[in-house]
Amino acid sequence: MTRKITLDYGLRYDYSTYEREQYGRMPDFSPTTPNPAFGSLLGAPIFEGYGPDRCNCHFAHDYPYALGPRLGLAYQVLPKTVLRAGFGIVYDSTANTSFAAATVATETLVVPSGSTGFDEPVITLAKGVQVTPTWPNFSPGQFPSLTNLNLVDPNAGRPARQMQWSVGLQREIFTNLLVEAAYVANVGVWWPSTNLVNYNVLTPQRLAADGLNLNNAADRTLLTSEIGSTLAASRGFNNLPYPGFPLTETVAQSLLPFPQYGTISPLWAPLGKTWYDSLQTKATKRLSHGLSLTALFTWSKSLQMGTESGAINNVLNRPVNKYISGYDQPFVFATQVSYLVRGLPKSGGNKLANGGAWITRDWTLGTVLQYASGLPILAPTSTNSLSSVLFQSTFANRVPGVPLFTVNLNCHCYDPTTTFVLNPAAWTQPPPGTFGTAAA
């Protein structure tokens, strides 16, 4: 733009599709489709595509608006000082986790009457072919009771979006010494999450509709009791949600929105979010005879919500699941030393000596040392009755003022192979049937 101002700008367009099984044989859970295997209860597998036995639909929609502008500015404030700033939007590819390969519709074989089951032949040639195999099987009632299914999120075709920006100063202090300092940050949305939503969860509102309260010990005992028990009968909770519902299953299972199934996992739900803020500094010193030294220091903070497996504390209250990322390292220091080999000196017309000079020159020898904060440790999982009542896990509560460790981890005064350094007294169980309040 001028002798002191340089502007870089660009635009990128991405288009990614959600993962599909090429012939539509991957089942997707539909909460509105009647299931003939369970007395026409709502909730059954459907199959993508158009035509007989198909849903006449697409499971998800691809995102066509992934436009990523980029902008960079360099301004020479003073003869030896440069201000740099930048902003950009980038997109990830859509999720590709190969769930389709593991869940395609299988064949159906009807075992003839008289077979005793395990280790018995399905047919014998002496009796002729007695079964009619069907493949692929698109029946909405094909999966047995209490099977775990997947639900493709309608927005599975939306790639994660990251907004990145930075602003910094670069200054030459004196000859061969350059220092830099910059604020670098980004915010991410639409990251695939498998644990921020549960389609088959027993909510406190659902329990309240049946006159149950998780704070009541008698109600918690009822929920964990078998539906065929005398306790369930005495409380009027022995009605089977569908014919053939196992009497050994719990009352809690019978009250689920879809009692015929276990976990209904969301596939590629773009609900995860990330946050990153950092101060990044760098010093570069060019010494004599090809020797240079670079030192870097970063002070940062990384937060996430729903992007890391096993780090959800309360699926029924999504905002409380924002906390430190498992990859967060607040302090990182690194130094690099490199040496550029000048090579052997040339020697007039001596071809052998000149060849040696050519072979040995311009090699770089380098070494790197990094010293950084350790990675966070996941909080312990609670052992209260929540998992058996709501089929959800939660974390133990942090005890204020109690140290997390039994020793000073940096004292070099204990044997790490025999000393248990985590302090059990630093954690306590949440009240029975309640979610914990600690961060992951």
Side-chain angles (χ1 to χ4, degrees):
M1 299 177 68
T2 70
R3 294 188 56 157
K4 295 185 177 182
I5 301 176
T6 300
L7 181 69
D8 294 280
Y9 53 90
L11 179 67
R12 175 183 169 116
Y13 177 68
D14 287 90
Y15 184 77
S16 299
T17 62
Y18 69 96
E19 184 181 47
R20 301 172 61 187
E21 202 282 322
Q22 61 179 337
Y23 300 116
R25 295 171 297 184
M26 184 180 78
D28 182 33
F29 178 77
S30 168
T32 59
T33 299
N35 195 319
F38 304 109
S40 296
L41 278 180
L42 293 181
I46 58 174
F47 295 87
E48 193 171 34
Y50 294 85
D53 300 323
R54 305 299 183 99
C55 68
N56 294 316
C57 69
H58 292 291
F59 289 162
H61 305 284
D62 298 320
Y63 186 71
Y65 307 113
L67 293 169
R70 289 93 192 274
L71 188 67
L73 176 70
Y75 172 49
Q76 187 183 26
V77 182
L78 297 171
K80 294 185 178 182
T81 304
V82 177
L83 171 68
R84 301 184 186 277
F87 175 82
I89 297 178
V90 297
Y91 289 87
D92 190 23
S93 60
T94 48
N96 179 18
T97 46
S98 300
F99 275 99
T103 57
V104 294
T106 57
E107 72 284 347
T108 298
L109 290 175
V110 180
V111 180
S113 59
S115 174
T116 59
F118 179 74
D119 205 26
E120 289 291 321
V122 175
I123 63 172
T124 58
L125 294 179
K127 298 180 179 179
V129 177
Q130 300 170 281
V131 299
T132 303
T134 302
W135 186 87
N137 176 18
F138 293 123
S139 168
Q142 64 179 287
F143 291 102
S145 176
L146 306 181
T147 299
N148 298 329
L149 292 181
N150 297 320
L151 192 158
V152 177
D153 191 276
N155 293 308
R158 171 170 285 184
R161 183 179 70 190
Q162 198 91 348
M163 293 185 290
Q164 307 178 4
W165 60 93
S166 65
V167 58
L169 280 174
Q170 187 179 60
R171 170 74 177 176
E172 184 182 16
I173 304 301
F174 47 78
T175 303
N176 292 329
L177 177 60
L178 183 70
V179 295
E180 305 173 47
Y183 169 66
V184 181
N186 61 63
V187 173
V189 295
W190 304 342
W191 288 102
S193 177
T194 59
N195 47 17
L196 271 181
V197 62
N198 188 336
Y199 300 105
N200 204 22
V201 63
L202 191 56
T203 65
Q205 293 79 9
R206 172 70 176 88
L207 294 174
D210 286 316
L212 301 175
N213 190 329
L214 289 179
N215 294 324
N216 187 312
D219 290 348
R220 293 195 302 270
T221 301
L222 170 67
L223 289 169
T224 57
S225 299
E226 295 180 357
I227 196 171
S229 65
T230 55
L231 176 60
S234 66
R235 295 281 303 269
F237 284 87
N238 58 341
N239 295 323
L240 303 183
Y242 58 86
F245 183 78
L247 297 180
T248 55
E249 286 298 323
T250 63
V251 172
Q253 176 71 37
S254 72
L255 298 178
L256 289 177
F258 307 101
Q260 67 270 37
Y261 293 118
T263 301
I264 300 174
S265 303
L267 285 187
W268 316 307
L271 301 174
K273 298 180 180 180
T274 59
W275 298 263
Y276 176 79
D277 294 274
S278 69
L279 170 65
Q280 300 184 10
T281 61
K282 178 181 179 181
T284 303
K285 172 63 176 174
R286 288 192 295 267
L287 303 171
S288 59
H289 307 292
L291 184 65
S292 64
L293 170 68
T294 301
L296 306 100
F297 175 73
T298 299
W299 178 28
S300 65
K301 185 175 184 178
S302 300
L303 300 169
Q304 66 85 32
M305 183 173 72
T307 63
E308 297 171 14
S309 177
I312 293 298
N313 197 26
N314 186 348
V315 72
L316 302 179
N317 188 2
R318 193 174 297 169
V320 304
N321 298 299
K322 175 184 176 181
Y323 26 63
I324 294 292
S325 166
Y327 302 99
D328 179 67
Q329 289 182 285
F331 302 107
V332 177
F333 173 77
T335 182
Q336 175 198 8
V337 180
S338 62
Y339 175 66
L340 180 64
V341 179
R342 300 294 178 89
L344 297 173
K346 293 183 178 181
S347 178
N350 189 324
K351 294 183 178 181
L352 182 61
N354 290 337
W358 180 82
I359 292 174
T360 58
R361 73 183 182 186
D362 296 335
W363 291 88
T364 299
L365 305 177
T367 181
V368 176
L369 170 69
Q370 178 174 295
Y371 188 78
S373 304
L375 294 172
I377 301 173
L378 194 67
T381 302
S382 170
T383 57
N384 68 1
S385 59
L386 190 68
S387 59
S388 59
V389 175
L390 294 186
F391 305 100
Q392 295 293 310
S393 61
T394 190
F395 295 114
N397 286 335
R398 181 79 168 87
V399 179
V402 178
L404 285 169
F405 306 106
T406 59
V407 296
N408 179 358
L409 297 184
N410 297 315
C411 71
H412 304 285
C413 58
Y414 65 95
D415 183 354
T417 64
T418 59
T419 303
F420 192 78
V421 300
L422 300 179
N423 186 6
W427 303 92
T428 185
Q429 297 300 324
T434 64
F435 286 98
T437 58

